[in-house]
């Protein structure tokens, strides 16, 4: 690759780290960029290489959020383990799933998310008046980790977004805390998928580790901005990212 190619990929990784730390969806930046710069790259290799950067960035975001946001580690760590196993299974099954059917379903869900957040401006902006019970929290985190973790292993874009919406809606958690929780679960799913893809030889380590450094930088900036600017900022970015994801996936599915 030329220096210009490296510059493009590292810039994309930095931007993806920022977006991922705030609301998720960074894969929509990195994966298309990888295919443009390296058009002959196998899809699974692109996913595996991206997962190095994604895991590094989410790990940095977890550390940054944990310094300012209360974290229920006894619930989130097992959730991350569930997500890791689910994502590895998803990555193993990716060749068996027809993405032409899968992507439209994801698009419909994303449109529903955008409508829901628009019509319910209070969701994610304030904490629930009556906090959920420990049992409900464990159930929601476990189900979200399993189902969304599986999706992350199969396709990926919007994993953090889906987690944030799930926690904000079902647990009444405001967006900044929901983002912090999502990063822990997403860290697990990234690790599980990365381990599987690396074990099957689908990782470009030199490129992935370079992008990881850039992703970490973007992730630290993004998580600090989310903490400083609060739930309203996260909500606005969430809506923008969801719209971009719908357009991008729609173009991927129907544009060419």
């Amino acid at each position: 690759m030329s220096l210009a190619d490296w510059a493009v990929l590292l810039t994309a990784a930095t931007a993806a780290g920022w977006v991922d730390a705030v609301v998720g969806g960074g894969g929509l930046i990195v994966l298309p960029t990888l295919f443009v710069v390296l058009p002959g790259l196998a899809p699974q290799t692109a996913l595996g290489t991206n997962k190095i950067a994604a895991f590094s960035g989410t790990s940095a975001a977890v550390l940054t959020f944990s310094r300012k946001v209360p974290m229920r580690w006894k619930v989130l760590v097992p959730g991350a383990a569930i997500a890791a196993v689910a994502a590895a299974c998803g990555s193993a099954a990716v060749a068996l799933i027809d993405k032409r059917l899968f992507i439209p379903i994801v698009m419909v869900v994303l449109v529903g998310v955008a409508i829901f957040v628009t019509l319910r401006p209070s969701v994610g902006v304030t904490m629930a008046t009556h906090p959920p019970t420990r049992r409900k929290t464990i159930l929601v985190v476990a189900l979200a980790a399993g189902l969304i973790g599986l999706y992350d292993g199969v396709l990926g874009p919007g994993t953090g977004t889906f987690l944030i919406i799930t926690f904000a809606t079902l647990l009444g958690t405001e967006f900044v805390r929901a983002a912090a929780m999502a990063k822990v679960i997403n860290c697990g799913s990234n690790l599980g998928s990365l381990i599987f893809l690396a074990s099957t030889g689908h990782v470009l380590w030199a490129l992935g580790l370079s992008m990881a450094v850039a992703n970490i930088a973007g992730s630290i900036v993004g998580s600090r901005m989310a903490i400083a600017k609060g739930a309203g900022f996260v909500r606005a970015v969430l809506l923008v990212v969801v719209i971009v994801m719908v357009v991008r996936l729609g173009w991927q599915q129907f544009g060419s």
Side-chain angles (χ1 to χ4, degrees), residues 3 13 29 40 45 58 73 78 100-101 104 117-119 162 167 191 202 214 242:
L3 287 176
I29 298 173
T45 304
T58 50
W73 295 112
R100 291 176 299 177
L101 300 177
V117 173
T118 301
L119 297 180
F162 290 138
F167 296 148
L191 179 60
H202 290 291
V242 166

Side-chain angles (χ1 to χ4, degrees), residues 36 47-48 68 80 95 109 125 154 173 176-177 179 204 214 238 242:
V36 169
L47 286 171
K68 298 290 184 179
V109 173
V125 176
V154 174
T173 308
V176 175
R177 185 170 296 186
L204 299 177
L238 175 69
V242 166

Side-chain angles (χ1 to χ4, degrees), residues 212-239:
V213 175
N215 196 277
I216 288 171
S219 182
I220 291 173
V221 173
S223 52
R224 286 179 177 175
M225 286 184 68
I227 293 168
K229 294 182 178 295
F233 168 73
V234 176
R235 181 178 184 274
V237 176
L238 175 69
L239 285 170

Side-chain angles (χ1 to χ4, degrees), residues 10-11 13-19 21 53 56-61 64 209-225:
L10 293 179
T11 300
T14 304
W18 187 92
V19 171
S56 301
T58 50
S59 298
T64 304
L209 290 171
S210 299
M211 292 171 62
V213 175
N215 196 277
I216 288 171
S219 182
I220 291 173
V221 173
S223 52
R224 286 179 177 175
M225 286 184 68

Side-chain angles (χ1 to χ4, degrees), residues 3 17 28 60 85 100 120 155 158 186:
L3 287 176
L28 285 172
V85 174
R100 291 176 299 177
R120 296 284 299 276
L155 193 62
N186 200 183

